[in-house]
């Protein structure tokens, strides 16, 4: 072109190397093979500056690539942190007639506990003493499978076994809106990106996104994302950070990949969970949780293993293996990160929560108290830095846990 010099041989080599690196990172092996066939030879990446790789990869994966240059994973995962949760802080019985299926901290100050049950109810209790705070929400027509609180505000999303999605105001004790027919099968999970955007996923393979109207603040369904035509979506989470793009990551049943979708760019891509980048399926991703830093993703599987991946990549930085037996009739495993990022809490089929030091790849404690399988858990950290963990179980109780 006029005004521009021709690309030199070194520049062309670097450009092709960068493209190959990004295709490899995203697990696009067929496209990579086509590129190699087209250019006639494999171009080595040894001369490609690491800062260029980090910057461009960061842009595409929803992270700040400049911050990843020379990034040491151990600096985050082994960084000193506060003592992990280790003791019981109370039992909350009688929230439901049947089993407790879901639990979370809610309310603007996260001083309330929301519990969803097989009795189709959403019950709100005070986290301080477990006392029921208000009349339960009883609008669901099927068991309540998941709950998700609006960040820094009073709204609460609940999803049910009949695919229904509801939005509640826990301060007013009212149903704000209901969406029926959003999902054709179990609505398994709800998750918020920020105060104006949340999503739900289902056994029907669809992720539905809901956004607040810019003028009146009313929430409307924004779009449906078909993650799979054959299998359901077990869980979803979002890219972390106030400036990160609205990227959803989804765990799909019977798939060797995680699915990423950028709502703003309307772009869907897959990332393999296999170290060899093959199509073999040796486990199912049942639950996922993004690290507080946004740089890692914990994937709990149905094979007694939890993998810690680099965000947006198939690179495994840690593998947590539990010796406890898997109960084929138990619900999917649940997990949540400690807010300081070094520890993670994992449910087991034995009715306990295992406390893991992720940096050391070692189980350092156990939270025992439930007498049946744990169905759900949630973590809260207040302004003073104190943390509390909530769990619910098929023993029809919710429990609170704290650090010493």
């Amino acid at each position: 072109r006029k005004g521009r010099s021709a690309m030199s041989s070194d520049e062309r080599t670097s450009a092709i190397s960068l493209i190959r690196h990004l295709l490899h990172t995203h697990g696009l092996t067929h496209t990579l093979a086509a590129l190699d066939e087209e250019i006639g030879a494999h171009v080595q990446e040894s001369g490609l500056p690491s800062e260029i790789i980090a910057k461009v990869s960061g842009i595409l994966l929803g992270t700040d690539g400049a911050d990843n240059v020379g990034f040491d994973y151990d600096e985050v995962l082994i960084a000193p942190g506060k003592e992990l949760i280790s003791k019981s802080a109370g039992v909350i019985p009688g929230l439901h007639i049947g089993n407790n299926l879901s639990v979370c901290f809610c309310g603007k100050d996260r001083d309330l506990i929301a519990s969803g049950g097989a009795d189709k109810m959403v019950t709100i209790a005070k986290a301080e003493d477990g006392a029921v705070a208000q009349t339960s929400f009883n609008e669901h027509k099927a068991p309540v499978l998941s709950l998700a609180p609006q960040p820094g505000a009073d709204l609460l999303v609940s999803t049910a076994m009949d695919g229904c999605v509801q939005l509640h105001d826990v301060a007013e004790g009212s149903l704000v809106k209901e969406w029926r027919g959003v999902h054709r099968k179990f609505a398994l999970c709800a998750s918020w990106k920020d105060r104006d955007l949340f999503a739900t996923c289902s056994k029907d393979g669809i992720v539905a996104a809901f956004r607040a109207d810019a003028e009146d603040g009313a929430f409307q369904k924004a779009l449906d994302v078909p993650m799979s035509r054959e299998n359901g979506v077990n869980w979803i989470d979002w890219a972390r950070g106030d400036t990160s793009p609205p990227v959803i990551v989804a765990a799909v049943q019977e798939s060797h990949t995680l699915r990423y979708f950028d709502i703003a760019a309307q772009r869907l891509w897959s990332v393999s969970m296999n170290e060899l980048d093959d199509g073999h399926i040796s486990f199912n991703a049942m639950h996922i949780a993004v690290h507080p830093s946004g740089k890692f993703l914990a994937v709990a599987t149905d094979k007694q293993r939890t993998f810690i991946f680099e965000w947006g990549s198939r690179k495994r930085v840690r593998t947590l293996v539990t010796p406890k037996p898997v109960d084929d009739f138990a619900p999917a495993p649940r997990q949540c990160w400690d807010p300081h990022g070094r520890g993670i809490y994992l449910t087991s089929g034995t009715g306990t929560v295992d406390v893991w030091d992720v940096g050391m790849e070692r189980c350092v404690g156990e939270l025992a108290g439930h007498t049946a399988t744990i169905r759900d858990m949630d973590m809260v950290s207040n302004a003073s830095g104190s943390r509390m963990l909530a769990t619910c179980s098929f023993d029809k109780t919710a429990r609170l846990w704290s650090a010493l």
Side-chain angles (χ1 to χ4, degrees), residues 234-388:
N234 290 326
W235 208 260
I236 55 174
D237 206 348
W238 294 87
R240 289 284 185 269
D242 294 336
T243 61
S244 63
V247 175
I248 299 173
V249 57
V252 177
Q253 183 75 9
E254 298 295 333
S255 175
H256 70 286
T257 68
L258 295 173
R259 311 291 165 83
Y260 289 78
F261 183 77
D262 187 327
I263 288 182
Q266 296 285 290
R267 188 170 71 93
L268 175 66
W269 70 98
S270 298
V271 176
S272 176
M273 292 182 285
N274 292 340
E275 291 181 301
L276 298 178
D277 196 24
D278 56 19
H280 180 65
I281 300 174
S282 58
F283 59 86
N284 281 301
M286 306 303 295
H287 189 276
I288 52 180
V290 177
H291 188 268
S293 71
K295 296 184 181 296
F296 309 109
L297 178 67
V299 178
T301 75
D302 58 351
K303 299 298 182 182
Q304 298 173 276
R305 283 168 171 75
T306 293
F307 299 113
I308 311 299
F309 291 96
E310 176 186 330
W311 167 261
S313 167
R314 73 168 184 272
K315 181 177 181 179
R316 296 179 188 174
V317 298
R318 294 290 188 275
T319 300
L320 313 181
V321 182
T322 176
K324 295 180 179 178
V326 175
D327 183 352
D328 292 335
F329 297 98
R334 294 289 184 262
Q335 59 187 344
C336 62
W337 288 96
D338 190 86
H340 298 285
R342 178 167 177 167
I344 195 169
Y345 306 95
L346 304 173
T347 63
S348 70
T350 60
T352 61
V353 176
D354 290 338
V355 182
W356 283 82
D357 183 317
V358 177
M360 301 301 292
E361 287 183 301
R362 185 173 63 195
C363 183
V364 295
E366 179 184 81
L367 304 179
H370 284 295
T371 58
T373 301
I374 295 172
R375 179 62 175 79
D376 199 11
M377 65 165 65
D378 190 33
M379 186 91 189
V380 69
S381 177
N382 61 28
S384 66
S386 64
R387 293 151 296 142
M388 187 170 287

Side-chain angles (χ1 to χ4, degrees), residues 177 179 198 209-213 216-223:
K177 192 158 186 176
W179 292 271
F198 72 88
F210 303 79
R211 190 186 294 275
D213 185 84
D216 61 14
F219 279 86
Q220 304 291 340
K221 192 175 83 164
L223 77 162

Side-chain angles (χ1 to χ4, degrees), residues 84-95:
L84 297 174
I85 299 296
S86 59
K87 68 173 185 177
S88 174
V91 184
I92 309 176
L95 293 175

Side-chain angles (χ1 to χ4, degrees), residues 125-190:
K126 295 179 181 178
E128 182 179 12
D129 56 13
V132 175
Q134 62 189 55
T135 303
S136 300
F137 300 109
N138 59 1
E139 291 87 356
H140 274 295
K141 294 179 171 56
V144 180
L145 297 181
S146 77
L147 299 166
Q150 183 186 31
D154 289 315
L155 297 183
L156 175 72
V157 176
S158 62
T159 68
M161 194 174 285
D162 60 358
C164 178
V165 177
Q166 291 184 356
L167 187 63
H168 313 273
D169 187 322
V170 297
E172 299 294 332
S174 61
L175 175 66
V176 177
K177 192 158 186 176
E178 178 182 72
W179 292 271
R180 290 203 168 272
V182 172
H183 296 293
R184 294 177 289 104
K185 297 181 180 179
F186 296 1
L188 296 177
C189 169

Side-chain angles (χ1 to χ4, degrees), residues 57-76:
S57 296
I59 292 172
L60 292 181
L61 296 175
T63 60
D64 186 351
D67 291 341
N68 289 333
V69 177
F71 175 65
D72 185 352
Y73 300 107
D74 286 345
E75 284 186 7
V76 176

